[in-house]
């Protein structure tokens, strides 16, 4: 009954609307207005309305089938867990710190064995980049960080905190290349810098903490 009354009201309103249009001598039909009325009454869906296309999982997977790096990343994060080398110990193993100077062989600090006397000698003023090499064995790690604090004669002179990122388990080593830095230079700057480094993650896990020394000399050794 109520519905019937609404329908009648609706019809009367439409007649009035048409009459108004005729009186205004408008030749364009206000389709939107008519559609709005119908939807309000719940009698009909807006004509021309298109439901979003249904997309299944397979389609999503196929979408980026050609993007090799994305596929690799997905595989790294999701798959092949049983094939990954597990050397025991921490989920994240820090393997080495490499000091990269253009035109020279990398200086390599092995972080897998005895950590008690790690040192390198660098020529003053050279541009270099630190590269940290590590492996993730079992679980995805997020928010890896590489932190260092530099002291000269016991006084803190520098510190760095690099966001390394999130990585999935993989047999091969991952590596992170820190931005370019300038080795100190000048007579006063030459000498030994003692560095305390840490490799951590967002959950405050410390995977490795080690001390090493960088000697700045007038020339390469
Ligand atoms: C580690 O190296 C230091 C010096 O290089 C040495 O004195 C020490 O005995 C070594 N420790 C082990 C466990 O090999």
């Amino acid at each position: 009954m109520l519905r019937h009354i609404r329908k009648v009201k609706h019809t009367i309103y439409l007649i009035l609307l048409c009459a108004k249009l005729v009186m205004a001598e408008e030749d364009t039909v206000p389709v939107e207005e008519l559609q709005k009325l119908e939807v309000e009454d719940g009698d009909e869906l807006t004509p021309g309305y298109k439901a979003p296309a249904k997309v299944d999982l397979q389609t999503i997977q196929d979408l980026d089938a050609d993007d090799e790096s994305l596929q690799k990343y997905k595989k790294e994060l999701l798959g092949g867990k049983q094939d990954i080398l597990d050397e025991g110990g921490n989920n994240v193993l820090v393997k080495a710190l490499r000091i990269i100077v253009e035109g020279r062989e990398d200086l390599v600090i092995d972080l897998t064995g005895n950590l008690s006397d790690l040192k390198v000698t660098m020529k003053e003023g050279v541009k270099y980049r630190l590269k940290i090499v590590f492996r993730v064995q079992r679980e995805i790690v997020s928010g890896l960080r590489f932190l260092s604090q530099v002291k000269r004669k016991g006084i803190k002179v520098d510190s760095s905190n690099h966001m390394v990122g999130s990585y999935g388990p993989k047999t091969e080593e991952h590596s992170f290349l820190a931005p370019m830095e300038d080795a100190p230079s000048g007579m006063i700057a030459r000498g030994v810098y003692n560095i305390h480094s840490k490799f951590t993650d967002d959950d405050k896990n410390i995977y490795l903490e080690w001390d090493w020394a960088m000697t700045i000399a007038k020339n390469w050794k």
Side-chain angles (χ1 to χ4, degrees):
M1 186 63 185
L2 204 72
R3 190 173 169 80
H4 183 69
I5 291 168
R6 266 194 16 215
K7 265 228 144 56
V8 171
K9 273 166 76 183
H10 185 172
T11 310
I12 292 166
Y13 184 76
L14 278 177
I15 292 164
L16 286 174
L17 189 68
C18 289
K20 205 173 114 195
L21 283 176
V22 170
M23 274 152 60
E25 288 180 350
E26 282 203 18
D27 52 12
T28 52
V29 184
V31 180
E32 301 84 1
E33 198 137 358
L34 292 173
Q35 283 175 354
K36 224 164 55 195
L37 274 171
E38 282 166 353
V39 170
E40 273 164 14
D41 267 4
D43 291 333
E44 211 182 299
L45 281 175
T46 310
Y49 171 79
K50 251 181 152 165
K54 281 206 183 95
V55 183
D56 60 39
L57 261 178
Q58 188 57 47
T59 311
I60 291 169
Q61 292 222 302
D62 291 347
L63 273 179
D64 51 22
D66 294 335
D67 189 335
E68 210 177 286
S69 60
L70 189 59
Q71 284 297 321
K72 212 175 121 212
Y73 182 67
K74 270 164 81 179
K75 216 169 137 190
E76 244 176 51
L77 288 180
L78 306 171
K81 236 179 159 175
Q82 63 283 1
D83 306 331
I84 292 163
L85 171 67
D86 193 332
E87 302 172 64
N90 284 337
N91 179 37
V92 177
L93 298 176
V94 185
K95 295 290 190 174
L97 178 65
R98 301 179 81 96
I99 300 165
I100 300 171
V101 180
E102 210 183 77
R104 287 187 69 87
E105 243 179 63
D106 294 359
L107 295 165
V108 184
I109 296 177
D110 179 11
L111 297 172
T112 61
N114 188 343
L115 300 177
S116 66
D117 193 23
L118 305 174
K119 54 189 176 190
V120 289
T121 298
M122 302 250 295
K123 181 178 157 56
E124 63 179 351
V126 295
K127 290 194 180 304
Y128 70 96
R129 296 180 77 172
L130 296 181
K131 185 187 201 176
I132 187 95
V133 182
F134 60 97
R135 274 200 60 226
V136 179
Q137 308 200 89
R138 288 161 229 125
E139 308 295 328
I140 295 169
V141 275
S142 64
L144 286 173
R145 280 180 183 278
F146 173 40
L147 304 110
S148 292
Q149 197 172 82
V150 184
K151 283 185 176 174
R152 179 92 199 273
K153 294 171 181 151
I155 296 159
K156 186 180 155 189
V157 291
D158 197 13
S159 68
S160 61
N161 182 342
H162 298 297
M163 172 54 85
V164 173
S166 302
Y167 292 80
K170 194 168 101 164
T171 296
E172 293 76 29
E173 288 168 341
H174 293 290
S175 67
F176 168 78
L177 197 56
M180 185 91 78
E181 290 179 70
D182 291 306
S185 70
M187 201 175 71
I188 293 164
R190 276 175 232 143
V192 180
Y193 292 79
N194 294 106
I195 305 165
H196 183 73
S197 294
K198 252 196 267 192
F199 202 64
T200 69
D201 70 9
D202 274 350
D203 300 323
K204 305 253 191 284
N205 291 309
I206 299 173
Y207 296 109
L208 194 69
E209 205 168 352
W210 71 102
D211 290 300
W212 54 293
M214 183 187 274
T215 299
I216 300 298
K218 210 172 162 74
N219 270 300
W220 291 106
K221 235 188 353 187

